[in-house]
Amino acid sequence: MATAEPIIMPGYQGEAITGPYDDPDGDSDADGGVPNYEGASVEQVFELFSAAAPNGWRVELIEGDIYVTPPADADHEAFVSELVDQVSERRRERSLRNWTGIGLNVPGASKTGHVVPDLVIAPKDSFRGPEKWNDPSPALLVAEVTSTSTADRDREKKIHGYARAGIPVYLLIDREEAEVIVYSEPSGDDYTQNPKYKLGLTIPLPAPLDFELDTAEF
């Protein structure tokens, strides 16, 4: 891989695309140069990049832009692990389950957005079968933990897709800003409630979780 930086293709309109995935095996002589994606739709290019992505890399289609992101660092994963542990231990509705790495379809600027939240909470058996991108309607909460390379889309673009999908709660743990925002009551392409808390405080989560998240443990 030529670089560990995320690839961003904003507003793809069918032009040729270059980047590390042009030659994932590093054997540029074998394929005669850079593939030409001219005339392809954003969905087609997204599928090509998804198929070529190395294991552990995340490919998402958010508000018409394609993002290819390398695996998260250990600090990010420690935050996600602590969040999952607290939800599993404290949630009052025992029929709920946690999904990490599950793909969701969400309405976006393109025909469909494809996102992979850090955590999805939904009733048991909500997601089954071979589909990579799932109906988001069972999701009761999605959570994102920011990294330097993902923070902007977590703070802005993903809000719109989650709200349009009608997901009741979007929990944003912003490591760079040292704060947590609990978005709830989706309306249109935004949430009407978005209380903000300093990281380290005890934070109330709305129903159906209906417990306090202790962010001092992060």
Side-chain angles (χ1 to χ4, degrees), residues 105-204:
N105 286 316
V106 296
S110 59
K111 182 177 179 181
T112 305
H114 303 300
V115 298
V116 184
D118 287 320
L119 172 65
V120 177
I121 300 175
K124 182 179 179 180
D125 296 327
S126 291
F127 308 113
R128 293 282 187 178
E131 293 297 326
K132 183 174 182 180
W133 304 104
N134 298 271
D135 176 3
S137 60
L140 301 174
L141 179 147
V142 294
E144 299 284 5
V145 177
T146 66
S147 297
T148 302
S149 61
T150 67
D152 287 345
R153 79 193 80 148
D154 291 340
R155 295 174 188 142
E156 298 174 11
K157 292 188 174 184
K158 282 192 173 182
I159 293 173
H160 303 312
Y162 293 148
R164 292 189 197 109
I167 297 173
V169 181
Y170 171 33
L171 177 67
L172 175 61
I173 300 177
D174 194 325
R175 293 192 296 157
E176 287 69 30
E177 296 295 328
E179 63 187 20
V180 178
I181 306 175
V182 183
Y183 295 93
S184 63
E185 300 183 20
S187 178
D189 61 358
D190 210 342
Y191 287 88
T192 60
Q193 302 298 317
N194 56 358
K196 186 181 298 186
Y197 306 88
K198 284 295 183 183
L199 196 61
L201 299 178
T202 300
I203 297 169

Side-chain angles (χ1 to χ4, degrees), residues 37-138:
Y37 300 130
E38 185 176 357
S41 70
V42 66
E43 288 277 352
Q44 290 171 322
V45 175
F46 173 80
E47 293 300 331
L48 288 168
F49 272 60
S50 294
N55 289 336
W57 285 60
R58 181 173 297 188
V59 185
E60 298 178 296
L61 175 57
I62 306 171
E63 296 296 291
D65 298 342
I66 298 172
Y67 295 85
V68 185
T69 309
D73 61 32
D75 289 340
H76 174 278
E77 293 305 285
F79 270 63
V80 174
S81 178
E82 177 63 30
L83 175 60
V84 170
D85 283 350
Q86 289 198 36
V87 169
S88 299
E89 179 182 337
R90 300 177 184 181
R91 65 173 181 247
R92 298 185 181 182
E93 178 49 68
R94 305 313 299 173
S95 66
L96 299 181
R97 294 293 182 270
N98 304 326
W99 277 267
T100 57
I102 192 81
L104 299 180
N105 286 316
V106 296
S110 59
K111 182 177 179 181
T112 305
H114 303 300
V115 298
V116 184
D118 287 320
L119 172 65
V120 177
I121 300 175
K124 182 179 179 180
D125 296 327
S126 291
F127 308 113
R128 293 282 187 178
E131 293 297 326
K132 183 174 182 180
W133 304 104
N134 298 271
D135 176 3
S137 60

